[in-house]
Every structure is written in C-alpha cells, then in structure tokens.
C-alpha cells in the first residue's frame, strides 16, 4: 500500500464514517464468540484503524509488514503489541491465540496465495478459536481506491468460504456487508476509470450521516441473516476442536 494512504488512515480513523461502521460491525460479529481476556492477533493491522478495539477485550498483537505503519499504530494505540511480520510466516507459536482478525489484506498484490495465509492463521489459532476475514467484495469491481491500496483481487462470499474451508477451518458465517454501497461504487468505478485516488479524501461524514444510518440499518439485518453480496465480503470461521 502507498505510505501516503497509511498516513490518511491514521489521520481519519477516528472521524471517517467507514471506519466507525466497520468497527461497529466487527464488534457485533466478534464479541459474542471470542474469549474475554484472550489473546488476539490483527494480521495486516496497518495503523490499527479497524482492529485496535480488540485490546479492550484482551491482549492484542498487531502484525504488519510495514514498520512505519506499525509505528503510527503504536503511537495512537499504545495498548497493543506491534510485530513486523509476513502474514504467511507469522512469528507466533502454534495454537497460541484465541482469535485472528484480518481486514483487507488478503486482497493485496503482495499476497501470492490467500489460502496459504489463511492456513497460517489456522496454525496459530487455538482449537475452538476464531478467524475473522474481511475483504473487498464484488470480484469484477475495479476502483481508483484499489489502485492506491495495491489491491490485486476482490472476493465473492464463495471465494472466501472456499479458501477458509481449504485451510481446514469450519465456516460459521459468510456474508456481504456495505451492500448499499455496491450500486454507487459501480457508477463511481466507471467515472474514475484509470484514476488513482483514495476514498479517504472525500465524504468523511458519510454524506452528512446518511451512510452511517444505512450501515446501522444493515447491522440490524445482520443480527438475523447473512447478506448475499456487499462491497465487503466477510467470513467468520472456527478451528475444529
């Protein structure tokens, strides 16, 4: 990812509607299933924009390949334990963490095999532990923001569940999220064809709160059912006992 994008993340993580909505949904999904007081690892943590809240529930290890991004995270979130690491070769002992969170990292061009990375997550999580994957959805979509973040692939729900099952994990939930953003994202991708631009430079308030309201309504739906598609694809899985 462009280092300038990491700086944007650090500057906007507390004010941008997307980060607030994403953290709220992650809490909704994970708090009921993780072990209170456990050990968690956020793989591809970056500046901590989406996963630093896990430190409220236990011990959080923040892993990322970019040392400068981790330095930003450590400055803003001093309760987490930063480590520089390759997602496919984590310096973590087998079966030693209670949950693994990975948000928009398997999509990166630098990840040759998402399944290999997920197998590594399965290795470090304890039997009965949780692996939560959140990746860009809608495979055919290609946006200016993808070019800034060096996104090499997007995922359908089936893509993520297949990779997760191939890694030996039991899928608990598979859903789309931010589904209300799919139509405008398609239009935006056509208008910005060939451009390189960050989403974090615009609409931090979410159109004056409209998008935050839509996200809140979607979270209520996700309390009951999984969604067939979304601008994000999410898989929640458990390592067999």
């Amino acid at each position: 990812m462009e280092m300038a994008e990491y700086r944007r993340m650090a500057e906007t993580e507390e004010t941008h509607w997307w980060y607030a909505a994403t953290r709220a949904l992650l809490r909704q999904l994970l708090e009921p299933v993780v072990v209170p007081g456990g050990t968690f690892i956020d793989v591809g943590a970056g500046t901590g924009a989406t996963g630093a809240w896990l430190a409220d529930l236990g011990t959080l290890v923040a892993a990322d390949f970019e040392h400068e991004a981790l330095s930003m995270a450590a400055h803003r979130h001093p309760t987490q334990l930063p480590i520089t690491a390759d997602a496919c070769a984590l310096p973590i002992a087998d079966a030693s963490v209670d949950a693994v969170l990975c948000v928009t990292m398997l999509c990166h061009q630098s990840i040759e095999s998402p399944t290999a990375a997920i197998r590594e997550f399965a290795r470090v999580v304890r039997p009965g532990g949780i692996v939560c994957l959140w990746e860009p959805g809608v495979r055919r979509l290609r946006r200016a923001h993808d070019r800034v973040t060096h996104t090499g692939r997007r995922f359908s729900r089936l893509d993520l569940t297949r990779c997760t099952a191939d890694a030996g994990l039991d899928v608990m939930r598979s859903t789309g999220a931010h589904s209300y953003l799919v139509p405008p994202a398609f239009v935006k991708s056509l208008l910005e064809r060939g451009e390189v631009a960050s989403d974090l430079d615009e609409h931090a308030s979410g159109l004056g709160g409209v998008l935050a309201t839509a996200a809140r309504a979607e979270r209520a739906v996700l309390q009951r059912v999984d969604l067939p598609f979304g601008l994000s694809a999410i898989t929640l899985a458990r390592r067999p006992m």
Side-chain angles (χ1 to χ4, degrees):
M1 187 187 300
E2 303 287 345
M3 193 54 62
E5 185 68 4
Y6 282 120
R7 297 189 188 97
R8 291 187 194 98
M9 291 167 62
E11 291 166 0
T12 62
E13 64 177 64
E14 295 301 326
T15 58
H16 203 284
W17 78 271
W18 189 90
Y19 286 129
T22 296
R23 286 190 293 266
L25 180 52
L26 284 171
R27 276 186 178 271
Q28 179 175 304
L29 293 170
L30 286 174
E31 278 192 324
V33 295
V34 299
V35 178
T39 299
F40 317 120
I41 180 168
D42 181 5
V43 183
T47 63
T50 54
W53 60 272
L54 278 166
D56 297 340
L57 305 180
T59 300
L60 175 62
V61 177
D64 200 280
F65 187 74
E66 290 289 351
H67 178 74
E68 187 173 342
L70 286 176
S71 294
M72 296 179 201
H75 176 72
R76 299 182 65 86
H77 308 287
T79 58
Q80 63 187 17
L81 307 174
I83 60 170
T84 304
D86 180 344
C88 294
L90 295 170
I92 303 290
D94 293 357
S96 61
V97 301
D98 296 287
V100 177
L101 174 64
C102 180
V103 178
T104 60
M105 187 213 68
L106 300 176
C107 61
H108 287 176
Q109 295 171 3
S110 61
I111 302 297
E112 293 185 9
S113 170
T115 300
I118 299 170
R119 286 198 185 103
E120 185 69 352
F121 305 162
R123 178 186 69 80
V124 302
V125 76
R126 294 188 176 103
I130 300 298
V131 174
C132 180
L133 309 175
W134 178 310
E135 294 297 327
V138 189
R139 280 187 293 184
R140 291 176 294 174
L141 193 61
R142 183 66 174 167
R143 307 169 55 225
H145 187 74
D146 292 345
R147 289 180 274 275
V148 170
T149 56
H150 297 179
T151 295
R153 61 180 70 86
R154 301 178 73 93
F155 295 82
S156 68
R157 289 173 58 197
L158 180 59
D159 293 332
L160 272 188
T161 55
R162 184 184 295 119
C163 290
T164 303
D166 287 348
L169 297 170
D170 294 334
V171 175
M172 302 162 61
R173 293 197 65 176
S174 173
T175 184
H178 297 311
S179 56
Y180 50 90
L181 292 178
V182 172
F186 263 118
V187 174
K188 195 169 184 287
S189 70
L190 296 175
L191 295 175
E192 63 190 16
R193 193 181 298 274
E195 295 181 10
V196 178
S198 172
D199 285 349
L200 300 181
D201 288 333
E202 55 188 12
H203 306 308
S205 69
L207 301 177
V210 171
L211 297 179
T213 299
R216 199 158 44 244
E218 186 183 74
R219 287 197 298 276
V221 173
L222 286 169
Q223 288 275 24
R224 303 185 298 275
V225 298
D226 292 331
L227 298 177
F229 68 93
L231 200 61
S232 298
I234 303 171
T235 292
L236 196 66
R238 190 186 300 274
R239 178 174 170 178
M241 297 293 291

